[in-house]
Amino acid sequence: MINDAQLKVTGWREWLALPDLGIEAIKAKVDTGAKTSCLHAFHIEPFAKNGEDWLRIWVHPIQDDSTEHVCEAPILEQRAVTDSGGHTEVRYVIRTRVQVGFGNEAEEFSAEFTLTNRDTMKFRMLLGRQALNGRYLVNPEASYLQGKPA
């Protein structure tokens, strides 16, 4: 078991990157109430690549910016997810690297993400407790403790 002194502290919101998806910066809510992390995808298109099931994913990485980013990832699975409002939907799940921090202090790890349209939400991404477990403590009074992109 890791003791609290070995864990980094993160704020309730942080700038992150998703290097495998080519997303250099995305503002995320660090959400201990969410089991799995979640990424905004306003359009998803399944396709086959080398005999495997993949997704083409359209993302608006920055809130209130219509810039589209298109990326691809293999499908891990589909699962039913219940959101904070009690609504259940079947979502695609992918696994990708997450980069927390920028520059020499950056840390990377792999995490599962469900994909859903978050156009009406304040944050394009949630970093859930499975990704936080064993890595971070969350200070609910702080923001951007891991730095901001250049």
Side-chain angles (χ1 to χ4, degrees):
M1 182 174 176
I2 297 173
N3 73 39
D4 292 352
Q6 295 172 298
L7 301 177
K8 290 185 177 183
V9 178
T10 184
W12 72 272
R13 60 185 170 178
E14 292 289 347
W15 281 98
L16 308 174
L18 302 171
D20 295 337
L21 302 181
I23 297 174
E24 296 177 1
I26 187 166
K27 189 167 46 171
K29 179 179 179 183
V30 179
D31 190 350
T32 61
K35 181 179 178 182
T36 307
S37 299
C38 179
L39 177 64
H40 164 69
F42 69 89
H43 182 69
I44 301 170
E45 181 180 284
F47 69 99
K49 183 176 182 177
N50 300 324
E52 295 180 356
D53 294 327
W54 280 61
L55 295 173
R56 192 164 289 114
I57 306 160
W58 280 258
V59 179
H60 296 133
I62 306 299
Q63 187 72 25
D64 300 324
D65 184 333
S66 61
T67 302
E68 294 181 9
H69 178 80
V70 182
C71 49
E72 296 179 353
I75 298 171
L76 185 61
E77 66 177 329
Q78 285 185 288
R79 76 172 68 126
V81 176
T82 302
D83 65 21
S84 60
H87 307 99
T88 300
E89 72 174 333
V90 176
R91 296 182 187 174
Y92 285 106
V93 181
I94 64 169
R95 176 174 286 283
T96 192
R97 285 182 303 144
V98 179
Q99 177 186 312
V100 179
F102 298 89
N104 294 336
E105 299 298 316
E107 177 183 4
E108 288 187 5
F109 54 89
S110 180
E112 289 184 7
F113 285 85
T114 64
L115 304 174
T116 192
N117 190 319
R118 296 183 55 81
D119 268 333
T120 61
M121 308 301 260
K122 188 171 181 180
F123 292 90
R124 297 300 190 189
M125 183 177 142
L126 298 179
L127 189 64
R129 66 180 179 269
Q130 284 180 329
L132 298 166
N133 192 25
R135 294 183 178 95
Y136 294 96
L137 291 175
V138 180
N139 179 343
E141 293 182 340
S143 297
Y144 312 121
L145 295 178
Q146 301 302 313
K148 296 181 182 180

